[in-house]
């Protein structure tokens, strides 16, 4: 990366001024051994949630609540966020972060289970926003389910879409990198979606489901 580009990226990542709620959630993330979204990604999630005017949202991968708090702060006061994670400790930490952020309990729903099992049980075209930050092998299935779940005009967000900056390197053929390259192609080739790939954090892949 050119020095000026790297400086711009570093500046962007350092720009958000996070409060104690997010800082404590980040500490719990590190204690649990999970990587939270970067500050710039968190800020982007808040803006995207606010711009979407979503009332129903799904998060695949709770982490320790950093991304959930960022989403909830952008969502309207009557919006509900459903968070799915197979690790009960992650969900417990997320609920703690939501409570510390002053989010009423009726605005969140945490579901313990494998996303591959939970997502198919959710209702078609019932959600305005789906955020995916989960295991790489499961991404193709999660993205397929997310497309089904979204209402027309709904937004799909995939975190770490550049796979720690490996996607842009042709010589890198790791399974996770190939999976994310395929996800990008699949979304770009889907005529029902319009998409963009942003370099924020370690890559944010955005797609909007076009109205029929």
């Amino acid at each position: 990366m050119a020095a000026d580009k790297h400086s711009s990226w570093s500046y962007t990542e350092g720009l958000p001024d996070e409060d104690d709620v997010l800082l404590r959630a980040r500490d719990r993330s590190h204690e649990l051994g999970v990587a939270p979204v970067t500050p710039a990604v968190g800020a982007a999630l808040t803006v995207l949630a606010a711009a979407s005017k979503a009332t129903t949202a799904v998060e695949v991968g709770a982490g320790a609540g950093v991304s959930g708090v960022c989403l909830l702060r952008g969502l309207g006061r009557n919006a509900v966020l459903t968070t799915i994670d197979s690790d009960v400790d992650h969900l417990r930490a997320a609920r703690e972060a939501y409570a510390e952020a002053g989010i009423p309990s009726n605005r969140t729903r945490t579901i313990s289970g494998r996303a591959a099992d939970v997502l198919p049980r959710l209702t078609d075209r019932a959600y305005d926003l789906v955020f995916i930050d989960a295991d790489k092998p499961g991404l193709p299935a999660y993205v397929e389910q997310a497309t089904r779940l979204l209402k027309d005009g709904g937004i799909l967000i995939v975190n770490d879409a550049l796979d720690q900056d490996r996607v842009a390197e042709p010589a890198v053929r790791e399974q996770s990198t190939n999976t994310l390259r395929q996800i990008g192609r699949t979304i770009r080739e889907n005529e029902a979606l319009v998409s963009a790939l942003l370099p924020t954090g370690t890559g944010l892949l955005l797609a909007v489901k076009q109205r029929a």
Side-chain angles (χ1 to χ4, degrees):
M1 182 184 293
D4 56 342
K5 287 291 186 183
H6 187 273
S7 296
S8 294
W9 182 90
S10 298
Y11 174 79
T12 302
E13 285 297 326
L15 195 59
D17 185 16
E18 295 189 323
D19 61 11
D20 287 343
V21 171
L22 288 175
L23 294 176
R24 284 194 295 271
R26 288 190 181 281
D27 287 341
R28 286 190 287 268
S29 297
H30 297 311
E31 290 169 3
L32 291 169
V34 295
V37 298
T38 70
V41 169
L45 291 178
T46 301
V47 170
L48 289 166
S52 72
K53 295 181 171 52
T55 58
T56 50
V58 174
E59 177 185 45
V60 182
V66 175
S67 55
V69 169
C70 291
L71 287 166
L72 285 159
R73 285 177 169 174
L75 295 171
R77 65 179 58 186
N78 295 319
V80 176
L81 173 67
T82 298
T83 299
I84 302 165
D85 202 296
S86 60
D87 192 309
V88 294
D89 290 330
H90 295 178
L91 288 175
R92 185 180 302 112
R95 286 193 292 269
E96 186 174 353
Y98 303 161
E100 288 184 359
I103 307 297
S105 60
N106 63 354
R107 289 193 54 207
T108 64
R109 179 173 63 150
T110 55
I111 300 177
S112 175
R114 296 174 60 249
D117 299 327
V118 176
L119 289 171
R121 301 202 299 265
L122 301 183
T123 304
D124 290 7
R125 296 176 176 267
Y127 297 89
D128 301 296
L129 184 152
V130 178
F131 173 61
I132 303 174
D133 187 14
D135 59 291
K136 300 298 194 303
L139 281 177
Y142 304 158
V143 168
E144 180 180 2
Q145 288 296 323
T147 305
R148 175 185 65 81
L149 295 176
L150 284 172
K151 302 174 184 177
D152 291 344
I155 184 169
L156 167 64
I157 309 169
V158 180
N159 190 44
D160 194 21
L162 290 172
D163 195 30
Q164 301 295 318
D165 297 317
R166 291 188 287 255
V167 166
E169 297 294 335
V172 179
R173 309 300 298 174
E174 293 182 23
Q175 184 174 353
S176 63
T177 309
N178 287 334
T179 296
L180 281 158
R181 289 184 181 122
Q182 182 57 51
I183 291 294
R185 285 192 294 269
T186 298
I187 288 177
R188 287 193 300 272
E189 293 169 1
N190 188 330
E191 294 183 356
L193 302 173
V194 292
S195 63
L197 178 58
L198 307 182
T200 306
T202 54
L204 272 185
L205 179 57
L206 311 178
V208 173
K209 190 173 184 180
Q210 297 192 88
R211 292 175 173 82

